[in-house]
């Protein structure tokens, strides 16, 4: 149902319109229609991924390739914290559940985490 692609700052253009009413904490008032604040947040997320502190993905529809949201796993010292958000039109269809399941499998499997929490 979904594809997880490593999150990139350039994804901000497609993710920004999905944030309204979902994840306002990522929005910075850069003016109408601006996604500069989100781009900066995604650059930070990319740097954390390169440092081995987070795995972050853009969630896309397997069928259409449409960007639906984001999922991430911050980790360290054998523990992880998972977070996911999807645009309103993609909620309630099992996409978030699938994204979380894949990242949890990665955390317990490849990363060898002993505990993963959601906040």
């Amino acid at each position: 149902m979904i594809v997880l692609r490593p999150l990139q700052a350039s994804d901000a253009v497609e993710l920004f319109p999905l944030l309204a009413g979902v994840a306002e904490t990522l929005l910075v008032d850069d003016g109408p229609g601006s996604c500069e604040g989100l781009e900066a947040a995604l650059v930070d997320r990319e740097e954390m991924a390169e440092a081995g502190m987070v795995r972050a993905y853009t969630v896309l529809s397997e069928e259409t390739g449409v960007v639906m949201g984001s999922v991430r796993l911050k980790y360290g010292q054998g523990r992880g914290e998972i977070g996911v958000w999807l645009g309103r039109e993609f909620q309630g269809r099992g996409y978030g559940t699938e994204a979380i399941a894949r990242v949890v499998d990665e955390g317990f499997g490849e990363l060898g985490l002993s505990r993963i929490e959601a906040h």
Side-chain angles (χ1 to χ4, degrees):
M1 277 197 334
I2 66 167
V3 173
L4 297 182
R5 178 182 74 205
L7 187 68
Q8 305 167 17
S10 60
D11 292 333
V13 173
E14 291 178 275
L15 290 170
F16 185 80
L18 301 176
L19 287 172
V22 178
E24 283 91 351
T25 58
L26 294 176
L27 298 177
V28 175
D29 187 10
D30 294 321
S34 174
C35 62
E36 290 177 25
L38 178 59
E39 268 186 297
L42 296 184
V43 167
D44 289 344
R45 188 76 41 92
E46 279 185 304
E47 290 171 359
M48 289 175 67
E50 290 173 11
M53 299 166 52
V54 69
R55 299 267 175 110
Y57 301 97
T58 300
V59 179
L60 300 101
S61 165
E62 183 176 48
E63 184 178 309
T64 65
V66 169
V67 171
M68 298 187 291
S70 175
V71 63
R72 62 104 177 108
L73 176 65
K74 289 173 35 177
Y75 58 93
Q77 300 177 340
R79 299 175 68 146
E81 178 186 309
I82 196 164
V84 63
W85 66 265
L86 298 171
R88 288 211 187 278
E89 63 266 37
F90 304 111
Q91 296 176 11
R93 299 182 185 179
Y95 302 127
T97 301
E98 184 178 348
I100 289 169
R102 288 195 193 177
V103 173
V104 165
D105 286 346
E106 188 176 328
F108 286 131
E110 183 181 333
L111 296 174
L113 301 178
S114 60
R115 181 180 179 111
I116 297 175
E117 300 175 349
H119 294 277

